[in-house]
Amino acid sequence: MAQTNNNVPAGNTNPNNPTAAQSEISVKGKWLAGFLLIVLTAGTVITMIAHWPDRMPSPRAESAKYIYQWFAVSLYSQTDSVAVDAAGNDTEVMPRVVPYMKNEVKKPACLIDLNTLIMVLIALGGFLGNMVHIATSLTNFIGADRFRKRWIMWYCVKPFIAAALAICIYILFRAGFLNGSNSTTNINLYGVVSIAILAGLFTDRATKKLGQVFAVVFQEGATQGQPARPDLLNTAIIIESIVPAALALADGAATITITGTGFDKSSFSVKIGDTAITDIQKTATTASFNYTPTVAGEFAMVVTDSNGTELKSQQITIT
């Protein structure tokens, strides 16, 4: 996710520097955001630990139930009692149910099915993975004084989307990728929770991968020719031109303009030779900055995105 601002906000004492005093969050808001990140992340970790079962049931069991008690989720029944005939051969497996009583209260404890328990852990894993992602994103933008209020909804909703996405991926894999059997007892719990955490950490990539799977299953070619939605989110930066390509020392400061698309969707940086450009004025389709040449020669002007990938390189001639 990238946040950029097209206008110099009110209160910026240096209009030539769009990065100065741009953050749209107060000091109190920063502390509140940090507190919520810590509480939600720690709460998710504790809840996951509290729901982790003591052991998986025997692979021979068709299903299993657990005693639902926080930090003490233990297997309720086992199929380990075998009946034998007179010759000593096994005849059938008889379930041996061990009743559990809460302390001195003579009534059974609350039980939870293994399938339900796995679903809970997967949802928590997706939520936890995405909390790591949004915590990194939020602290980066606040630290760079580039936080935007319009992204608050994204931060609030994304962890819950990640939890739902993790469950969707689990159900998709259970259809035949993780296990060909309908039994849940031989599922690798650490494996499925790891996938859930990764799905939450890389939600956008996981969504794209599900889209690719859907396209293959339902033959994407059948829908070709239909007009694309005009409102699809596109954060790619496309640079069309950089002008001027030549500067004169005698002219002093000159304005260099970059034209293209996506400048308001993502961030990028510019270097001329070894000089990094910091004061860049941006709109959706243009970016401009003042540059004062100090020495004649040929210099490479390189534009890179936030990941360090080169978007465009052009020679600037200074005479």
Side-chain angles (χ1 to χ4, degrees):
M1 183 199 72
Q3 306 172 19
T4 57
N5 190 19
N6 299 332
N7 302 313
V8 177
N12 187 349
T13 57
N14 184 6
N16 294 323
N17 184 2
T19 62
Q22 276 195 342
S23 188
E24 298 177 1
I25 185 172
S26 63
V27 175
K28 182 179 179 180
K30 293 178 182 179
W31 282 102
L32 178 60
F35 174 76
L36 290 176
L37 287 176
I38 294 173
V39 169
L40 290 174
T41 305
T44 306
V45 172
I46 293 173
T47 305
M48 180 179 289
I49 295 174
H51 284 79
W52 201 268
D54 62 339
R55 63 188 184 278
M56 294 296 287
S58 169
R60 295 179 298 175
E62 292 296 326
S63 62
K65 293 185 180 297
Y66 285 81
I67 300 166
Y68 185 59
Q69 183 172 323
W70 278 44
F71 299 102
V73 179
S74 54
L75 190 63
Y76 178 75
S77 62
Q78 302 180 49
T79 55
D80 57 0
S81 180
V82 180
V84 296
D85 56 17
N89 299 318
D90 297 349
T91 56
E92 58 179 339
V93 177
M94 302 296 293
R96 177 175 60 84
V97 179
V98 181
Y100 174 84
M101 299 296 178
K102 283 185 175 180
N103 299 329
E104 301 298 329
V105 181
K106 301 301 182 180
K107 63 178 181 180
C110 179
L111 301 180
I112 183 172
D113 188 79
L114 177 58
N115 283 298
T116 305
L117 184 62
I118 290 178
M119 288 286 191
V120 171
L121 290 172
I122 288 173
L124 289 171
F127 193 95
L128 177 62
N130 200 254
M131 283 303 303
V132 175
H133 172 65
I134 68 172
T136 304
S137 174
L138 183 61
T139 52
N140 282 341
F141 281 108
I142 290 179
D145 281 337
R146 299 185 67 85
F147 178 79
R148 293 291 172 271
K149 290 181 179 179
R150 62 177 178 266
W151 288 94
I152 292 178
M153 181 63 70
W154 184 91
Y155 287 112
C156 294
V157 173
K158 201 66 180 290
F160 297 94
I161 296 177
L165 178 64
I167 293 178
C168 291
I169 292 177
Y170 168 71
I171 293 175
L172 177 66
F173 284 179
R174 277 298 304 273
F177 292 106
L178 282 181
N179 196 325
S181 172
N182 291 327
S183 175
T184 313
T185 58
N186 51 357
I187 284 289
N188 184 342
L189 186 58
Y190 289 95
V192 295
V193 174
S194 297
I195 292 175
I197 294 175
L198 292 175
L201 190 59
F202 305 103
T203 305
D204 295 335
R205 298 182 187 179
T207 304
K208 290 180 181 179
K209 181 57 65 176
L210 286 179
Q212 293 174 2
V213 172
F214 188 89
V216 171
V217 173
F218 293 94
Q219 296 182 355
E220 184 180 19
T223 62
Q224 291 182 353
Q226 296 183 1
R229 280 178 48 192
D231 59 339
L232 289 176
L233 180 62
N234 184 6
T235 59
I237 295 177
I238 299 177
I239 296 179
E240 298 174 353
S241 65
I242 300 175
V243 293
L247 302 176
L249 289 173
D251 294 338
T255 300
I256 297 179
T257 303
I258 305 172
T259 59
T261 58
F263 294 168
D264 60 335
K265 302 295 185 181
S266 187
S267 61
F268 63 89
S269 59
V270 179
K271 289 186 68 175
I272 298 179
D274 295 328
T275 304
I277 307 301
T278 57
D279 300 336
I280 304 177
Q281 307 293 329
K282 298 179 183 178
T283 67
T285 57
T286 62
S288 61
F289 58 89
N290 293 328
Y291 178 72
T292 303
T294 57
V295 62
E298 295 281 342
F299 298 91
M301 177 176 172
V302 181
V303 183
T304 56
D305 61 15
S306 57
N307 296 322
T309 303
E310 182 178 306
L311 300 174
K312 189 175 182 63
S313 177
Q314 178 174 305
Q315 290 295 117
I316 300 292
T317 302
I318 301 176
T319 58

